[in-house]
Amino acid sequence: MNPRERVLAILNGEKPDRIPVDLWYTGEIADDLKKHFHVNSDLELYKSMQLDKIVWVMAGYDFKSTDTNRTVWGVPLKRITSGKAVYDEFGEPPLKNYNIDSLDEYPFWPKAENYDYDKARQWAQQAYPNYVTIGPWISFFEVYCQMRGLQQGLMDLVLEPDLANSILDRIEECQTRMLETFLKALGDSIDIVFVSDDMGTQENLLISPDIWEKFFKARLARWCDLIHSYGKKVFYHSDGAVEPLISGLIDCGIDILNPIQRICKGMDTKLLKSKYGDKIVFHGAVENQSILPFGSPEDVAKETKYCLDTLASDGRGYIACSCHNIQAGTPVENIIALAKAVCYYNRSTTKSLNSC
């Protein structure tokens, strides 16, 4: 099997020749890995590492102005440097002082026609023959909190439900138009749509299940229905302790759950596999807060094997991956150890990895 066939087998509930291995990482880690493997492109790196990479496909946005230091939603960005890492933080929430009557005056609601679908299609078609593709990125709660601020956003759901629904309606409408245009433009070259809504902390949910059901469940179900109508899978991302929402997410129609932070409360991988393993695919799980960045290669191999033993106990339903982006400064040897552990687990090694 090639990487595409292997991942598709998992997504279709089949048993592949081995469990797939994906990796999420920051730009700094991408540079480190390319340097280590003496390659220049992303696709060359995936091949060198024998990754079953699920390849990201995003449509760039034409801001129609010189003010590009914002997200497509108009949220200002601030560039931060911390050690080896460079990243953007969100600035002042742009809808902080808006009310229901003034929402239509907001100048930064994104327009579907401003996305570059042609370039996205070209990249997807490069990856498509050998790799499963994923895109675009869509979200309800994360976008809402970026635009209103996390604290205000959480309070809105209780104190300002009409305003919250009005903003969420606009967020849904803008992205649904973009999503449909994206899916029509890319056709068979896209396989999965990425829905990202972080709902958990290390210990609990950010909002109650009742609030989630009131504001988000029906909206997510509409997106799942739309995505499935195009023959695509739904990849749902939520960090943290989200076990209380998993049944509801399955009801909505998600196909893949990520990132499975197993050190968070209620996210025990044995429990998740026993309760939900016949309903969804798990993606992620390899611990990325302490073991990957600070452990030894042996620690990483042991952690990866545990995830495989628990989430792929039947040889199905799991794509091994770091449980979030591998951060700058993580030893390359540890990242290689993750990929090797999957190969060893499946009684298959590769020349390129063994020669590292």
Side-chain angles (χ1 to χ4, degrees):
M1 286 183 160
N2 69 16
R4 177 176 178 79
E5 293 166 340
R6 193 169 292 121
V7 173
L8 287 178
I10 288 289
L11 298 185
N12 292 326
E14 301 165 1
K15 188 173 182 179
D17 60 340
R18 65 169 177 81
I19 294 298
V21 56
D22 191 6
L23 285 179
W24 282 17
Y25 43 74
T26 65
E28 296 86 2
I29 291 297
D31 292 341
D32 290 346
L33 290 171
K34 288 174 184 176
K35 182 178 179 181
H36 181 89
F37 285 96
H38 307 289
V39 297
N40 297 314
S41 74
D42 291 331
L43 293 179
E44 288 175 317
L45 178 61
Y46 308 154
K47 185 176 181 180
S48 296
M49 293 193 70
Q50 299 292 307
L51 297 180
D52 305 296
K53 181 66 179 172
I54 300 177
V55 177
W56 293 95
V57 179
M58 301 297 178
Y61 191 78
D62 184 352
F63 288 85
K64 305 295 184 182
S65 73
T66 57
D67 183 13
T68 59
N69 196 33
R70 296 174 178 269
T71 72
V72 299
W73 297 95
V75 182
L77 297 170
K78 181 180 179 181
R79 181 56 55 93
I80 302 294
T81 300
S82 177
K84 296 181 178 180
V86 179
Y87 59 95
D88 291 323
E89 287 187 351
F90 300 119
E92 186 76 2
L95 289 185
K96 179 180 178 180
N97 297 315
Y98 278 70
N99 56 43
I100 290 179
D101 295 331
S102 60
L103 287 177
D104 287 338
E105 300 170 11
Y106 182 64
F108 295 110
W109 295 116
K111 296 178 173 60
E113 61 268 23
N114 288 359
Y115 288 87
D116 189 345
Y117 305 103
D118 289 339
K119 189 170 289 185
R121 182 174 59 249
Q122 291 168 15
W123 169 237
Q125 288 174 345
Q126 288 184 53
Y128 179 82
N130 294 306
Y131 299 96
V132 163
T133 54
I134 184 170
W137 181 98
I138 55 176
S139 171
F140 293 116
F141 187 55
E142 290 181 29
V143 172
Y144 188 96
C145 290
Q146 292 167 21
M147 299 182 80
R148 286 284 286 172
L150 177 59
Q151 181 173 318
Q152 186 62 54
L154 292 171
M155 291 193 295
D156 286 348
L157 299 177
V158 177
L159 302 177
E160 298 280 356
D162 291 341
L163 175 61
N165 274 316
S166 293
I167 295 173
L168 286 167
D169 285 345
R170 286 166 171 80
I171 289 171
E172 180 178 4
E173 180 182 1
C174 290
Q175 290 179 104
T176 299
R177 289 178 179 175
M178 179 274 290
L179 175 60
E180 286 205 82
T181 309
F182 183 96
L183 293 175
K184 290 175 182 176
L186 273 72
D188 290 340
S189 63
I190 200 74
D191 300 294
I192 304 171
V193 173
F194 185 80
V195 183
S196 182
D197 257 342
D198 286 333
M199 293 288 178
T201 69
Q202 295 284 107
E203 295 292 328
N204 213 325
L205 296 171
L206 281 165
I207 59 176
S208 71
D210 287 344
I211 291 290
W212 177 80
E213 186 159 337
K214 178 179 179 180
F215 288 95
F216 300 104
K217 186 174 184 179
R219 290 184 167 94
L220 176 60
R222 285 194 290 271
W223 271 355
C224 289
D225 288 345
L226 174 62
I227 293 162
H228 289 153
S229 75
Y230 282 86
K232 315 303 179 184
K233 300 290 188 180
V234 179
F235 187 115
Y236 188 88
H237 167 89
S238 179
D239 293 335
V242 295
E243 195 279 331
L245 294 184
I246 294 178
S247 290
L249 294 171
I250 292 170
D251 289 343
C252 289
I254 72 161
D255 301 293
I256 307 140
L257 181 64
N258 158 277
I260 319 300
Q261 288 183 274
R262 71 180 194 85
I263 64 171
C264 296
K265 185 177 179 180
M267 297 299 287
D268 177 78
T269 49
K270 289 182 181 178
L271 172 67
L272 296 180
K273 182 69 172 182
S274 65
K275 289 184 70 173
Y276 309 111
D278 61 338
K279 301 177 181 69
I280 52 174
V281 169
F282 300 103
H283 178 283
V286 179
E287 206 282 315
N288 194 33
Q289 290 178 255
S290 58
I291 295 176
L292 260 172
F294 305 119
S296 66
E298 292 75 21
D299 294 331
V300 173
K302 182 178 179 181
E303 165 69 8
T304 304
K305 184 178 184 301
Y306 180 83
C307 293
L308 290 160
D309 284 342
T310 53
L311 291 174
S313 54
D314 56 356
R316 297 177 172 85
Y318 177 49
I319 299 170
C321 186
S322 50
C323 73
H324 212 296
N325 287 329
I326 300 171
Q327 296 296 303
T330 299
V332 167
E333 293 76 13
N334 285 7
I335 302 169
I336 293 171
L338 190 165
K340 275 188 173 182
V342 179
C343 292
Y344 286 139
Y345 186 86
N346 291 284
R347 296 177 176 82
S348 172
T349 58
T350 64
K351 182 177 180 181
S352 60
L353 285 176
N354 282 338
S355 63
C356 296

